[in-house]
Amino acid sequence: MTYEEVIFYAVATLTVAGALGVVVSRNVVHSALFLIVALLAVAGIFVLLAAEFLAIVQVLIYGGAVTILILFAMMLTRVRDLPTAVDGPQKPVAVLAAGAFMVTSIVAVLSTEWPGQTDKINVISFNDIGEVLYRNWAMPFEIASLVLMVALIGAIILARGEEGE
Amino acid sequence: MILGMIAGNAWVDGLVRMGVIGLLVPVGVIALTYLERKVIGRLQMRLGPMRVGPYGTLQGFADTIKLLTKEDVRPQTADRWTFELAPFVIVVPVLMALVTLPFTADIFVRNLTLGLFYIVAVSGLSIVGFVMAGWGSDNKYALIGGIRAAAQLISYEIPLVMAVLAVAMVGQTLNLANIVDNQSDVPYILYQPLAFIIFTVAGLAELYRQPFDIPVAESEVVGGPFVEYSGIRWSMFQMGEFVNLVLISILGSLIFLGGWNWPIGSGAPGIAQFVLMLVKTSAFILFFMWMRASMPRLRIDQLMSYCWQLLLPFAFLQIIINGLVLVYVWPDPVMAILSFPATGAALYLTYRAARASGVHYQPGFQGVGSVL
């Protein structure tokens, strides 16, 4: 095995272990912490694919911000108030559905004819990403920002409404 | 020959460089602890540590031995793994950020193209450690401290990143060495004083030192997330704090003070580069210590409103100024002409808010959480 393969399998194991931890863990805060592990390991996979910019964004947004807000929200509720068992009688059905989805995904990935050379990594510099995102596709980018903005304002209005103002 | 072997293999080379950092960091932290106690002592007209060794120089080592041999207590109701892993989650990201930090033009571990962005992203991970420590301790003070830490660090990360981004915009690069090279004639502090002020204040808040020590406030939450920790785990938090202090100080001197360049003009030889970096970084560190000795602590609502109502809009203003200068290809001094009055306005608003929260402060819901 080459260095890259060793690192890939280590990172991939970490991703899968983290993802399983999210589902299997009985404590909701532990699930959130496992989610951080899984998301950071995905950043590792991005690094292996020479997509450094994407990896750092993954760490910044998912590792540093999103999961902390999830944790923040959960810590404000007391641990004892949270349901200890998050599974119910539908568990076998859920396992079946998840397994079916996984098999479908794997089959789809393996049977697709990917354009370009997949065994060679194309290194794309972050200058090119910026060029494409803010010049060629500036309009979709702005629309996405607008959607986020609307969601933020909506959240503020909902939060203020609860105070009875 | 051995040096040649080391340089030949990327893995060995990286490991050796990391090892050197890993050895220097604890020694540096011990020295900084001593320095801080001496500086604060002098500012408060005390002597500081005097007993162990000449002028108390060995105090830090004595304290280290004490902390290492102290019992590592874990509360019975604490959440075991969350509690025990939290110090690592705080320390490891800080050490990871050191990987790409150049100390001079030649001394660094790895010079990443996206270095600045990498440091910002990785140091943001520490917040998870505070939340883990706060929640895992099963102590209400620790939990309040953890929540305060998360709120404060996330909020102040935004103006910090915006100020750094303003510099990267003008430099057209995220590589720290290139940013320093761009300042060979004039350091960015003269062109973008507003970004510099915002970076310093937000950096102070990211370090949760006075006047922003709300998450760990002794008199309010008795040490915050760290209240249940003792011995080696507590000293890891301490190490994280001091390494972060050095990190922010070095980053500030690299991106605003011109790094290893002379204040005006470039081309400093190797040893002078090191001395220049040392002087600039020490200036930051001493400033942060000075603030600690002379500023009263903010309230949490003042802290939040200062960030969102003052620092963030002014950070955007700096970015707009830089954008105009870049788009219309105005000469660089225009940036300074626009940025200096904005800095004055920011400082005046800070002064006015500080005055208003003192004598004239009227308690009541309307007054809470407003700076402007």
Side-chain angles (χ1 to χ4, degrees), chain B residues 38 41-42 84 93 101 291:
Chain B
K38 272 290 184 196
R42 290 290 173 173
E84 295 199 342
L101 204 65
M291 284 296 110

Side-chain angles (χ1 to χ4, degrees), chain B residues 35-342:
Chain B
L35 182 74
E36 167 143 50
R37 292 180 64 181
K38 272 290 184 196
V39 168
I40 300 241
R42 290 290 173 173
L43 286 169
Q44 295 170 342
M45 299 186 77
R46 294 184 286 112
L47 289 173
M50 285 299 281
R51 297 279 175 190
V52 191
Y55 295 97
T57 38
L58 296 178
Q59 184 70 50
F61 294 95
D63 285 345
T64 312
I65 293 167
K66 184 201 84 177
L67 281 170
L68 291 183
T69 50
K70 218 173 154 185
E71 190 188 355
D72 181 22
V73 185
R74 176 166 52 86
Q76 209 165 23
T77 52
D79 191 90
R80 179 155 181 209
W81 288 107
T82 318
F83 181 84
E84 295 199 342
L85 288 179
F88 294 93
V89 179
I90 289 184
V91 169
V92 169
V94 180
L95 293 180
M96 275 171 77
L98 288 178
V99 166
T100 188
L101 204 65
F103 298 97
T104 75
D106 305 313
I107 305 176
F108 53 82
V109 179
R110 280 288 181 272
N111 191 5
L112 302 179
T113 328
L114 298 171
L116 192 56
F117 195 32
Y118 169 83
I119 289 179
V120 165
V122 166
S123 52
L125 285 178
S126 291
I127 308 173
V128 179
F130 288 96
V131 174
M132 281 170 72
W135 179 81
S137 300
D138 195 23
N139 174 316
K140 64 181 88 164
Y141 295 111
L143 183 61
I144 294 171
I147 290 175
R148 283 179 171 194
Q152 170 174 339
L153 298 184
I154 284 210
S155 303
Y156 275 86
E157 211 179 344
I158 301 167
L160 188 81
V161 172
M162 289 294 164
V164 166
L165 196 68
V167 172
M169 259 175 97
V170 176
Q172 310 262 310
T173 178
L174 287 169
N175 182 321
L176 283 163
N178 291 353
I179 287 180
V180 172
D181 291 340
N182 287 336
Q183 301 174 72
S184 53
D185 297 324
V186 183
Y188 281 143
I189 180 176
L190 291 179
Y191 284 154
Q192 309 179 46
L194 185 57
F196 173 75
I197 296 276
I198 291 167
F199 176 86
T200 313
V201 174
L204 197 57
E206 282 289 303
L207 295 168
Y208 55 94
R209 298 169 75 82
Q210 282 90 338
F212 300 109
D213 64 333
I214 293 163
V216 293
E218 295 265 303
S219 49
E220 294 169 24
V221 288
V222 286
F226 313 146
V227 61
E228 293 289 2
Y229 287 88
S230 58
I232 189 159
R233 284 180 209 281
W234 185 84
S235 56
M236 281 177 73
F237 287 124
Q238 201 68 8
M239 186 167 98
E241 186 186 328
F242 277 101
V243 177
N244 220 347
L245 174 70
V246 176
L247 184 79
I248 297 266
S249 303
I250 294 185
L251 197 61
S253 46
L254 285 175
I255 63 178
F256 286 108
L257 302 185
W260 49 81
N261 292 317
W262 298 108
I264 288 170
S266 60
I271 189 76
Q273 286 184 358
F274 187 75
V275 174
L276 277 166
M277 276 302 289
L278 199 66
V279 168
K280 288 170 180 176
T281 309
S282 306
F284 262 99
I285 293 178
L286 290 174
F287 173 78
F288 288 144
M289 288 179 178
W290 176 27
M291 284 296 110
R292 176 169 197 167
S294 46
M295 297 284 275
R297 185 185 302 134
L298 292 173
R299 266 197 335 258
I300 187 114
D301 62 302
Q302 294 169 332
L303 173 95
M304 284 308 191
S305 48
Y306 187 65
C307 174
W308 292 100
Q309 297 182 4
L310 212 144
L311 286 185
L312 196 58
F314 274 101
F316 281 128
L317 183 64
Q318 177 72 66
I319 286 182
I320 291 170
I321 290 173
N322 293 356
L324 287 173
V325 169
L326 287 176
V327 169
Y328 293 106
V329 207
W330 292 336
D332 282 350
V334 175
M335 218 153 39
I337 293 169
L338 293 172
S339 190
F340 266 106

Side-chain angles (χ1 to χ4, degrees), chain A residues 102-163:
Chain A
M102 187 175 82
V103 170
T104 319
S105 310
I106 292 174
V107 168
V109 167
L110 289 180
S111 60
T112 307
E113 283 286 326
W114 298 100
Q117 280 184 302
T118 44
D119 51 349
K120 206 176 116 243
I121 292 172
N122 299 316
V123 182
I124 302 168
S125 79
F126 80 105
N127 300 56
D128 296 341
I129 296 177
E131 193 91 355
V132 170
L133 199 59
Y134 297 107
R135 288 244 167 87
N136 305 0
W137 302 98
M139 203 57 199
F141 179 81
E142 291 296 332
I143 291 170
S145 321
L146 197 71
V147 171
L148 280 177
M149 184 78 162
V150 170
L152 268 178
I153 295 172
I156 292 171
I157 289 172
L158 285 177
R160 286 188 79 91
E162 271 175 24
E163 285 170 21

Side-chain angles (χ1 to χ4, degrees), chain A:
Chain A
M1 275 207 296
T2 57
Y3 283 133
E4 290 80 8
E5 279 175 354
V6 174
I7 296 173
F8 171 77
Y9 284 114
V11 171
T13 314
L14 204 61
T15 316
V16 174
L20 278 177
V22 176
V23 189
V24 173
S25 169
R26 300 223 152 240
N27 187 321
V28 189
V29 175
H30 288 177
S31 296
L33 292 174
F34 276 120
L35 184 64
I36 298 179
V37 173
L39 291 171
L40 289 184
V42 171
I45 292 178
F46 285 146
V47 171
L48 276 177
L49 294 172
E52 292 174 16
F53 183 78
L54 207 54
I56 297 178
V57 170
Q58 173 88 3
V59 172
L60 184 71
I61 305 293
Y62 288 103
V66 171
T67 40
I68 291 168
L69 291 179
I70 296 175
L71 275 172
F72 195 89
M74 274 186 316
M75 284 198 325
L76 291 173
T77 55
R78 257 190 299 177
V79 188
R80 289 180 205 86
D81 301 345
L82 297 170
T84 43
V86 277
D87 50 56
Q90 295 174 349
K91 196 174 175 181
V93 186
V95 170
L96 206 68
F101 184 69
M102 187 175 82
V103 170
T104 319
S105 310
I106 292 174
V107 168
V109 167
L110 289 180
S111 60
T112 307
E113 283 286 326
W114 298 100
Q117 280 184 302
T118 44
D119 51 349
K120 206 176 116 243
I121 292 172
N122 299 316
V123 182
I124 302 168
S125 79
F126 80 105
N127 300 56
D128 296 341
I129 296 177
E131 193 91 355
V132 170
L133 199 59
Y134 297 107
R135 288 244 167 87
N136 305 0
W137 302 98
M139 203 57 199
F141 179 81
E142 291 296 332
I143 291 170
S145 321
L146 197 71
V147 171
L148 280 177
M149 184 78 162
V150 170
L152 268 178
I153 295 172
I156 292 171
I157 289 172
L158 285 177
R160 286 188 79 91
E162 271 175 24
E163 285 170 21
E165 280 186 0

